[in-house]
Amino acid sequence: MLERTHVIAWVLAAILSAPLAMAQDASDPFEELPDDAPAATSPKKPESETTSEETASDAAEVDDFGAPSEGEAEEAGTGTEFEDDFASEFEDEYGFDPAGEFSSEEEPEDRDPWEGFNRAMFRFNDTADRWFLKPAAISYRQVTPIFMQTGISNFFSNLHEINNVLNNVLQWKWGQAGNDTGRFLVNSTVGLVGLFDVAQHMGLEPSDGEDFGQTLAVWGMPSGPYLVVPFLGPSTVRDVPGEVVEWYTNPLSYVDDNAVEYTFKTVDLLQTRASYLQAEALLQGDRYVLMRDAYLQRREFLINDGEQEDDFGGDLDEYDF
């Protein structure tokens, strides 16, 4: 018994030290080049030999946002049409425009005092994702028909309605609690255990979701510093307890057969990761900063239920026109 205890202690120590060890490995094949890394350049012509036509063509090929060059734009349409199509494609699949929703003038760096540790954890999670989770999600999306992916996504979203109802009640959102309760009952019965979203066609629209982290925010608890949790990803000190509460509110956690429980949770993880594959096209540059800003802005959006405070023209209220 004593020998078994020592073995368990060594295993736990290895698991806890693995993220830091991998994050500090200088031979990481996925290490990103710094922004100031010199790029390969071709021999530059003297200014006297550079024609105005070449200068104009070089200027036309420069695009800071990854849009097509002038020649490609003529075939695919104007630059504005390209950006609109790009945004609408994400809006159709995810229900919102990520670039527009995450845009803000705030400085989230002030909420990231543990950036050194967070970057190490982000590097560990990103390496594990590239080696294991992302390839599995790509294979899952390639072999699974679209209608099956939709049914699987609906099934797990329906189970999540239990967590939504609980937090709606804790936040005194009785109208939304009734809506989510109706969605769960209708989809669990008429929708064949949630495979079909019948409730949406009955006027019971899906919400953006509620969790215990949002409940703590409504109760007045500050978010605390930004935190990257190993294997779980972006979070804050306030949102970490929400992961524990969600584990207890997940019906799959109460399945007696461990094999069935882990199978369902693995499929849920693969479906969730596969749904983000296309959105990765937005991550260009410092991936850590982009994901941090996107997460913090998204959390503020959910906590405020999508309401944006607009102070424009507030100083003019005292004047009568």
Side-chain angles (χ1 to χ4, degrees), residues 51 109 140 194 203 283:
T51 62
E109 292 85 351
Y140 164 82
L283 299 180

Side-chain angles (χ1 to χ4, degrees), residues 33-91:
L33 294 176
D35 295 337
D36 56 351
T41 57
S42 57
K44 186 177 180 181
K45 293 183 179 181
E47 296 181 359
S48 59
E49 298 181 6
T50 303
T51 62
S52 59
E53 295 180 356
E54 293 176 347
T55 305
S57 61
D58 293 340
E61 293 176 356
V62 175
D63 187 356
D64 295 335
F65 299 93
S69 61
E70 183 177 358
E72 296 174 347
E74 292 178 357
E75 298 178 359
T78 62
T80 305
E81 293 176 352
F82 174 81
E83 295 175 0
D84 292 341
D85 294 341
F86 189 71
S88 62
E89 185 176 353
F90 284 101
E91 188 170 0

Side-chain angles (χ1 to χ4, degrees), residues 167 171 211-218 238-239 241-242 299 303:
N167 287 281
Q171 299 176 34
D211 54 59
F212 193 67
Q214 298 179 52
T215 300
L216 293 177
V218 172
R238 180 182 60 199
D239 292 336
R299 293 301 294 175
I303 292 171

Side-chain angles (χ1 to χ4, degrees), residues 316-321:
L316 302 178
D317 293 342
E318 59 186 70
Y319 299 100
D320 294 331
F321 292 96

Side-chain angles (χ1 to χ4, degrees), residues 103-114:
S103 60
S104 174
E105 296 180 357
E106 296 181 0
E107 295 295 338
E109 292 85 351
D110 299 335
R111 300 170 61 180
D112 188 12
W114 304 331

Side-chain angles (χ1 to χ4, degrees), residues 35-297:
D35 295 337
D36 56 351
T41 57
S42 57
K44 186 177 180 181
K45 293 183 179 181
E47 296 181 359
S48 59
E49 298 181 6
T50 303
T51 62
S52 59
E53 295 180 356
E54 293 176 347
T55 305
S57 61
D58 293 340
E61 293 176 356
V62 175
D63 187 356
D64 295 335
F65 299 93
S69 61
E70 183 177 358
E72 296 174 347
E74 292 178 357
E75 298 178 359
T78 62
T80 305
E81 293 176 352
F82 174 81
E83 295 175 0
D84 292 341
D85 294 341
F86 189 71
S88 62
E89 185 176 353
F90 284 101
E91 188 170 0
D92 293 340
E93 180 164 349
Y94 301 104
F96 64 94
D97 179 10
E101 185 169 339
F102 297 149
S103 60
S104 174
E105 296 180 357
E106 296 181 0
E107 295 295 338
E109 292 85 351
D110 299 335
R111 300 170 61 180
D112 188 12
W114 304 331
E115 183 174 351
F117 171 82
N118 288 335
R119 282 188 177 272
M121 293 301 99
F122 172 81
R123 188 177 177 185
F124 166 75
N125 289 343
D126 190 52
T127 302
D129 175 74
R130 296 189 187 188
W131 276 109
F132 304 105
L133 187 56
K134 184 177 180 179
I138 293 175
S139 300
Y140 164 82
R141 190 158 190 174
Q142 289 176 344
V143 302
T144 307
I146 297 298
F147 75 93
M148 290 185 61
Q149 296 183 40
T150 302
I152 293 173
S153 179
N154 291 339
F155 172 80
F156 290 110
S157 297
N158 186 59
L159 292 181
H160 191 71
E161 295 289 0
I162 298 177
N163 188 66
N164 291 341
V165 173
L166 172 63
N167 287 281
N168 281 324
V169 172
L170 294 177
Q171 299 176 34
W172 290 77
K173 297 180 179 179
W174 300 109
Q176 190 63 47
N179 179 88
D180 294 343
T181 301
R183 284 183 52 81
F184 177 76
L185 294 176
V186 171
N187 289 335
S188 298
T189 55
V190 183
L192 301 180
V193 298
L195 294 177
F196 300 96
D197 191 357
V198 181
Q200 184 175 9
H201 301 286
M202 299 175 59
L204 301 174
E205 296 292 335
S207 63
D208 291 324
E210 300 289 343
D211 54 59
F212 193 67
Q214 298 179 52
T215 300
L216 293 177
V218 172
W219 290 354
M221 180 177 178
S223 66
Y226 175 72
L227 179 65
V228 179
V229 183
F231 299 108
L232 297 180
S235 184
T236 61
V237 173
R238 180 182 60 199
D239 292 336
V240 169
E243 299 292 338
V244 180
V245 174
E246 188 170 358
W247 187 90
Y248 283 102
T249 59
N250 188 355
L252 297 178
S253 300
Y254 300 95
V255 177
D256 294 333
D257 192 338
N258 290 335
V260 175
E261 175 187 353
Y262 296 148
T263 299
F264 273 96
K265 289 186 175 181
T266 301
V267 174
D268 184 18
L269 179 62
L270 289 177
Q271 174 61 41
T272 302
R273 181 62 182 90
S275 64
Y276 293 139
L277 289 175
Q278 190 175 5
E280 290 187 60
L282 292 175
L283 299 180
Q284 298 179 2
D286 193 337
R287 292 166 52 89
Y288 171 80
V289 172
L290 291 174
M291 293 193 67
R292 178 195 63 193
D293 295 355
Y295 176 81
L296 294 177
Q297 291 298 321

